[in-house]
């Protein structure tokens, strides 16, 4: 079964629920932590505490565990700046599937080493001159392996959405309320679209780094627009998606999601607040939703849930951002 | 009722169980996170994720919620380098009890500000020349308030012990095993003695900073010995107890607990590992148990549980320790 055939179905709420059950069988829920912002409590879904340090373990597990025995024997290929890579590598090791990951040569050392430690083969490319999609597709073709995209895949979307179902159950248990608003860190929109499917009644806001806010611009334009030429440098390596996909875009457009963007300084401030107020290490890309709340670009309501989506950052980079 | 009368009873396993029930009613369990060390999995009780960033919320809640209405109306006084202070302040605010905290003038800014934000009055003293015990006793006397020591109190010991009961239930759920070994960060021994009461069949190792390892020395000597004159500087501000108390010492001596000590460099390494492998911010004092495991001073077995006991550290100090 090729990636094209797998991707031909539409992700569904039923699929999110099935993913959540599969994931609950192997991973304890990540904590939903309260944080007070100017007298209002918001709820932070600490996906940074997943074994691989990011929510990406969810979609990867849902996808790889649904492959047939024949497909599993032929291995998988993925491209990723690091967190999807680790999700695939972790799931592949647990299922004894061979995994090859195409990663940008400038990915954080922490992410590359962690992926290698999990037993995956790594192939690097130049983020600005080479196409990771093309390299990965060629490798998959050569090896008869299954290509597992990082967001443009119904299994991946459903798997990531399980984070929202889990958070909703936790919030219900602690406050008796359903999430009214989800504020979600966004690169290609796998997490955001999955969470939107999971909770049909919640308002959805996606958050991107300034200059990389193509998803927000696409939602405003009503059609997919790529990142503008020469985007600014960003510490949010996990969110440097140059072009999104109809699969995730259509879900979020139909839900009336809106997008906001945050500056590097706002992200660094959020990383400091996560450190001092929650005791959590966040990578820049995992802190953008918190940044949007802290700088007032999103207004908290009675039952706001945000994602703290990842923690994989080199110690030196982290030290420089929190001490600033 | 004075502190002396309150302290006259002996802490018990039944008391730990009652404390655990009271605490479970207001606080979700902190995660018990697996960490692989040279092929062995150890289990890390992330008390750093408590709302105040340390396990001290447990004993404080157990103690303050057991005060009579009359006692609550007269307020409480405590002395603490910061984490007990926050536990008392948090519990006092929730119970509408007035709280005065005696803190060393050189306590981390993060701890002092957090305590003030929780609504407590703060009185500072010089750690090397003044007696916090004397200052706190005088304040309590003047105000008719209840003195709440940071470890030399049966309620405090029982409350802290609830962390071990909670961890044991989590480990049982995830692996079907009971903890065989507990490795515990230790200042005055409130947490360690409470955990020893909680789990009568586990081996107990306490961990202290080098030069401040009076508890370990006392266990070796069979009697309480104070910290030697002119102890070295340490980043482990939470563990700078100059003299321990019979209450905690007797429990740990009777259990055959042993003590090990770790260097500042070993602590810094543990803080980096907690950051990169678990996504957790730890203060130095909260990382000593992990440090002892990582440097091989304690050998992991099949069901080793360690405490990650606190996270309250100033960002600049933290940045300098993890980037080194």
């Amino acid at each position: 079964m090729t990636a094209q055939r797998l991707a031909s179905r539409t992700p569904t709420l039923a699929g999110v629920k099935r993913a959540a059950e599969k994931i609950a069988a192997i991973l304890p829920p990540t904590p939903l932590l309260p944080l007070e912002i100017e007298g209002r409590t918001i709820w932070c879904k600490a996906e940074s505490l997943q074994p691989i340090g990011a929510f990406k373990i969810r979609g990867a597990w849902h996808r790889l565990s649904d492959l047939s025995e024949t497909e599993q024997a032929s291995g998988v290929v993925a491209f990723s700046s690091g967190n999807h890579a680790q999700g695939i590598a972790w799931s592949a090791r647990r299922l004894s599937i061979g995994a090859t990951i195409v990663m940008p040569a400038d990915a954080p050392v922490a992410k590359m080493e962690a992926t290698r430690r999990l037993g995956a083969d790594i192939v690097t490319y130049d983020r600005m001159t080479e196409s990771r999609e093309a390299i990965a597709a060629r490798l998959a073709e050569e090896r008869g392996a299954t290509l597992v995209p990082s967001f443009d895949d119904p299994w991946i979307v459903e798997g990531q959405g399980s984070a929202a179902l889990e958070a909703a159950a936790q919030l219900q248990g602690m406050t008796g309320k359903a999430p009214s608003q989800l504020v979600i860190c966004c690169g290609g929109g796998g997490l955001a679209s999955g969470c939107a499917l999971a909770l049909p009644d919640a308002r959805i806001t996606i958050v991107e780094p300034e200059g990389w806010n193509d998803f927000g611009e696409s939602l405003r334009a009503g059609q997919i627009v790529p990142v503008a030429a020469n985007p600014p440098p960003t510490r949010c390596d996990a969110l440097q998606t140059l072009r999104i996909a109809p699969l995730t875009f259509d879900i979020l457009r139909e839900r009336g999601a809106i997008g906001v963007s945050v500056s590097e300084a706002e992200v660094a401030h959020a990383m400091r607040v996560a450190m001092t107020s929650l005791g959590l290490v966040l990578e820049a890309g995992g802190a953008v939703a918190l940044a949007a709340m802290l700088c007032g670009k999103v207004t908290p309501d009675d039952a706001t849930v945000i994602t703290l989506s990842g923690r994989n950052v080199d110690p030196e980079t982290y030290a420089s951002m929190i001490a600033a």
Side-chain angles (χ1 to χ4, degrees), chain A:
Chain A
M1 193 184 278
T2 65
Q4 280 62 38
R5 277 184 55 210
L6 280 169
S8 65
R9 74 176 181 85
T10 303
T12 62
L13 173 55
V16 177
K17 288 179 177 168
R18 195 170 67 83
E21 281 169 23
K22 287 165 60 184
I23 289 157
I26 59 158
L27 292 169
T30 55
L32 185 70
L33 300 169
L35 179 69
E36 208 171 283
I37 299 181
E38 293 176 9
R40 271 245 138 101
T41 298
I42 66 166
W43 297 89
C44 305
K45 184 64 174 162
E47 288 292 294
S48 58
L49 295 178
Q50 290 287 9
I52 61 151
F55 69 93
K56 297 277 190 178
I57 199 170
R58 296 176 178 274
W61 179 255
H62 184 43
R63 178 70 140 93
L64 266 57
S65 58
D66 264 15
L67 292 174
S68 70
E69 272 185 41
T70 313
E71 288 165 339
Q72 293 194 354
S74 304
V76 294
V77 173
F79 46 87
S80 162
S81 72
N83 287 334
H84 177 58
Q86 289 183 67
I88 294 291
W90 188 93
S91 303
R93 185 171 72 166
R94 197 168 164 120
L95 294 162
S96 302
I97 297 174
T100 304
I101 317 282
V102 182
M103 294 182 81
D106 65 347
V109 176
K111 291 182 177 176
M112 212 175 285
E113 283 183 356
T115 306
R116 197 172 279 124
R117 269 200 306 276
L118 287 166
D121 289 327
I122 294 175
V123 175
T124 59
Y125 74 101
D126 181 323
R127 200 191 279 270
M128 285 303 158
T129 63
E130 296 182 273
S131 158
R132 61 184 191 174
E133 288 83 353
I135 297 170
R138 180 174 49 74
L139 286 170
E141 183 72 30
E142 281 169 14
R143 301 171 186 199
T146 302
L147 185 65
V148 186
S150 59
F151 60 88
D152 188 11
D153 178 291
W155 274 260
I156 297 297
V157 167
E158 289 171 351
Q160 320 303 32
S162 67
L165 279 191
E166 206 177 277
Q170 291 168 310
L171 189 67
Q172 189 72 43
M174 291 191 281
T175 70
K177 289 179 190 160
S180 51
Q181 173 175 233
L182 294 174
V183 186
I184 307 167
C185 305
C186 185
L191 179 61
S193 60
C195 291
L197 279 181
L199 301 179
D201 297 323
R203 278 177 302 127
I204 309 287
T205 301
I206 60 153
V207 188
E208 297 168 290
E210 284 179 2
W212 293 84
N213 55 331
D214 56 317
F215 214 127
E217 288 302 312
S218 300
L219 289 169
R220 236 180 304 277
Q223 60 181 21
I224 292 176
V225 292
V227 168
N230 302 314
T234 176
R235 289 312 213 339
C236 302
D237 59 274
L239 307 182
Q240 290 182 292
T241 313
L242 290 166
R243 188 183 182 89
I244 61 175
L247 186 76
T248 53
F249 175 67
D250 289 347
I251 293 170
L252 290 167
R253 184 177 47 83
E254 279 162 28
R255 276 296 294 283
I258 59 164
V260 300
S261 63
V262 290
S263 71
E264 296 290 297
E266 287 163 347
V267 171
H269 174 62
M271 290 167 73
R272 277 193 296 279
V273 169
M275 185 221 142
T276 56
S277 299
L278 295 171
L280 293 178
V281 176
L282 294 184
E283 61 182 284
V288 295
L290 179 58
M293 300 302 305
L294 291 170
C295 70
K297 288 179 181 169
V298 181
T299 306
D301 63 13
D302 255 12
T304 297
V305 172
I306 74 167
T307 59
L308 307 178
S309 43
R311 67 145 189 259
N312 295 312
V313 51
D314 293 329
E316 293 68 27
T317 305
Y318 187 67
S320 73
M321 292 186 79
I322 58 161

